[in-house]
Amino acid sequence: MIIVLRPHTPKAAIDEVIAEVSKLGYEPAPIFGVTQTVIAAIGDERTHQNLESLTALPQVESVLRVQKRYKLASRESHPEDTVVDVDGVKIGGGHFVLMAGPCSVESEEQLLSTARSVKAAGATILRGGAYKPRTSPYEFQGLGKEGLRLLELARKETGLKIITEVLSERDVEHVAASADILQIGARNAQNFQLLIECARSGKPILLKRGMSEKIEEWLLAAEYILAHGNPNVLLCERGIRTFETYTRNTLDLAAVAVAKKESHLPVIVDPSQGCGRADLVLALCCGAVALKADGLLVEVHPNPAEAMSDGQQQVDFAAFKELSEMIRPFLAATGRAGW
Ligand code: PEP
Ligand code: MN
């Protein structure tokens, strides 16, 4: 933090602020200018009191935060891109990944046929919800443990890594025993106890942005995971709720560009929840790749019209194959030709 004093503050009043900074547990480093003095306060804000209270002193003009609130997630603290290694599948730092699969795991036939098809199109990670966060309690809630078993079966058969959502702290242990990546959904994006529990599992975590979460809050949620000792975080933009009604959510591609600037963590884009319309998914994927997203999370279903959740936004096998080819020029243009 930097404390800016008013011009021509007398020495005694400067010393008073210096003493206050020390009292609050920081090391004061004053810089004396010709007319104005600033004091840098060095210390960890997590364990010390907030210095903003110093603005109550009449000689203090402002208190500025020089470091980001998200320290570990910031590029300031870690200029190089982080590469998350999911059991041999690298994500970030020029490594692009396609994650695809149904919104919900529905049956062995549905999951295995999808797994084979998305693998043939270039996906290396299979998505599928076993525990589904549904708006209505009367809608399909997912197959639970049976869904996890089917995901494991699909991994065994295809070699794809698997990502699936964890809905509650209660489920972390057994979901982590099956999955290669834990997904934290938009509705749990700021469920900090769940974030901490997932962090402790040691598994890579894909953290969705909340429906009305600011970018700073999203990065601070990632900070919870990093601060609890788990460096393998994937940020996922999945659209935010706005006044627009032609799309389910407004996919915030600017947030992808901001997150890539502000943070070293890989950024994944979910165009499916992002717009809620299968007919727009391809275009949004191209846009996301052009913005240097490190991966895509796409909902794919053998027969979207019969899907038990999110049918309107899932693409079929042919559309996914087309998509995987259409993104290639955008990958090449952004230096990911090797994909
Ligand atoms: C999903 O991926 O199917 C899902 C429920 O995502 P979100 O949490 O982004 O709504
Ligand atoms: Mn879905």
Side-chain angles (χ1 to χ4, degrees):
M1 306 280 278
I2 295 271
I3 298 119
V4 183
L5 303 188
R6 293 192 193 285
H8 309 293
T9 299
K11 175 91 173 62
I14 296 175
D15 288 345
E16 186 194 358
V17 181
I18 291 174
E20 270 309 307
V21 170
S22 307
K23 218 161 90 191
L24 292 170
Y26 292 82
E27 194 192 341
I31 305 156
F32 298 100
V34 182
T35 56
Q36 201 163 23
T37 297
V38 298
I39 302 165
I42 300 155
D44 190 338
E45 287 163 52
R46 284 176 301 182
T47 48
H48 294 74
Q49 216 169 308
N50 196 308
L51 288 176
E52 263 138 29
S53 58
L54 289 177
T55 46
L57 294 172
Q59 66 272 46
V60 172
E61 189 169 78
S62 57
V63 175
L64 307 174
R65 203 181 285 282
V66 282
Q67 283 172 309
K68 305 286 181 182
R69 289 173 77 198
Y70 40 89
K71 295 169 196 296
L72 301 168
S74 74
R75 269 220 193 261
E76 233 172 35
S77 71
H78 189 296
E80 306 278 287
D81 282 345
T82 279
V83 179
V84 172
D85 190 329
V86 183
D87 215 1
V89 175
K90 292 190 168 60
I91 311 172
H95 303 275
F96 177 82
V97 74
L98 254 188
M99 309 186 192
C103 175
S104 301
V105 177
E106 298 170 8
S107 68
E108 181 171 329
E109 167 58 21
Q110 173 240 22
L111 189 67
L112 288 175
S113 63
T114 309
R116 287 184 210 113
S117 179
V118 299
K119 183 180 177 183
T124 47
I125 298 178
L126 175 68
R127 66 148 287 153
Y131 294 92
K132 294 304 301 176
R134 304 307 301 280
T135 302
S136 161
Y138 306 119
E139 290 165 345
F140 178 59
Q141 306 285 307
L143 296 180
K145 288 191 173 150
E146 171 63 4
L148 296 176
R149 187 187 73 76
L150 294 175
L151 285 163
E152 288 185 49
L153 185 67
R155 175 176 53 204
K156 193 156 168 239
E157 199 186 289
T158 60
L160 293 170
K161 308 297 170 206
I162 58 181
I163 175 169
T164 197
E165 181 166 352
V166 187
L167 273 189
S168 83
E169 284 170 62
R170 196 182 54 222
D171 298 328
V172 173
E173 202 176 321
H174 73 270
V175 176
S178 298
D180 299 298
I181 306 176
L182 302 180
Q183 174 174 323
I184 294 178
R187 293 155 189 82
N188 268 317
Q190 288 183 296
N191 180 342
F192 302 119
Q193 285 311 316
L194 177 63
L195 300 185
I196 293 168
E197 255 339 285
C198 287
R200 289 188 180 135
S201 75
K203 288 281 173 179
I205 295 169
L206 179 137
L207 175 64
K208 298 263 192 132
R209 181 180 178 191
M211 296 191 199
S212 51
E213 203 177 30
K214 294 184 191 177
I215 297 170
E216 186 186 37
E217 292 167 328
W218 181 31
L219 296 175
L220 282 166
E223 188 76 13
Y224 265 90
I225 302 169
L226 300 172
H228 283 82
N230 188 333
N232 297 313
V233 180
L234 307 166
L235 297 167
C236 181
E237 163 59 36
R238 49 77 72 202
I240 49 174
R241 187 166 280 190
T242 68
F243 51 80
E244 185 50 67
T245 54
Y246 276 30
T247 46
R248 177 185 184 182
N249 291 299
T250 296
L251 186 70
D252 186 2
L253 286 180
V256 176
V258 173
K260 297 248 359 136
K261 274 199 168 176
E262 287 290 314
S263 178
H264 52 89
L265 297 171
V267 180
I268 309 297
V269 170
D270 173 348
S272 309
Q273 329 300 321
C275 68
R277 291 174 48 165
D279 64 328
L280 300 182
V281 164
L282 196 160
L284 293 177
C285 286
C286 293
V289 174
L291 279 160
K292 300 187 184 164
D294 299 288
L296 295 168
L297 179 69
V298 182
E299 287 187 346
V300 182
H301 194 284
N303 185 357
E306 283 179 8
M308 296 173 85
S309 59
D310 287 350
Q312 72 295 344
Q313 69 194 31
Q314 304 205 54
V315 297
D316 62 17
F317 297 170
F320 185 70
K321 184 163 191 304
E322 186 190 350
L323 178 164
S324 69
E325 280 154 18
M326 296 291 281
I327 60 174
R328 281 182 190 276
F330 296 92
L331 284 164
T334 49
R336 277 91 54 88
W339 181 78

